[in-house]
Amino acid sequence: MKRFVEGEDRLQGALLPHCLDDYVTENNPVRVIEAFIDELDLATLGFDGVVPETTRRRPGHEGRFRVDSPRR
């Protein structure tokens, strides 16, 4: 009998999966919902901002990519 319980390597890169998709199994009902929504034509349904403008910037909110310097 071993004296200590052996677990995961403490030097591993991440505790959680790198992608949210890793949490969802292949036969999960959310896959059907995702496929349905991907097939919708949001522009014809009246949604604004469906077609992105060519701004040569990264997609997403600007604050999402900002890195604040540490306060001293």
Side-chain angles (χ1 to χ4, degrees), residues 6-51:
E6 292 184 21
E8 297 295 323
D9 181 15
R10 65 183 183 92
L11 299 176
Q12 68 187 16
L15 295 174
L16 301 174
H18 294 281
C19 178
L20 185 60
D21 197 47
D22 294 342
Y23 283 112
V24 183
T25 60
E26 288 296 321
N27 58 353
N28 193 304
V30 76
R31 300 282 183 190
V32 175
I33 297 169
E34 179 186 25
F36 174 76
I37 291 174
D38 285 344
E39 293 299 317
L40 293 176
D41 186 5
L42 298 177
T44 59
L45 293 172
F47 286 90
D48 294 332
V50 176
V51 179

Side-chain angles (χ1 to χ4, degrees), residues 52-59:
E53 296 180 16
T54 54
T55 59
R56 303 175 109 188
R57 290 187 287 174
R58 296 168 65 177

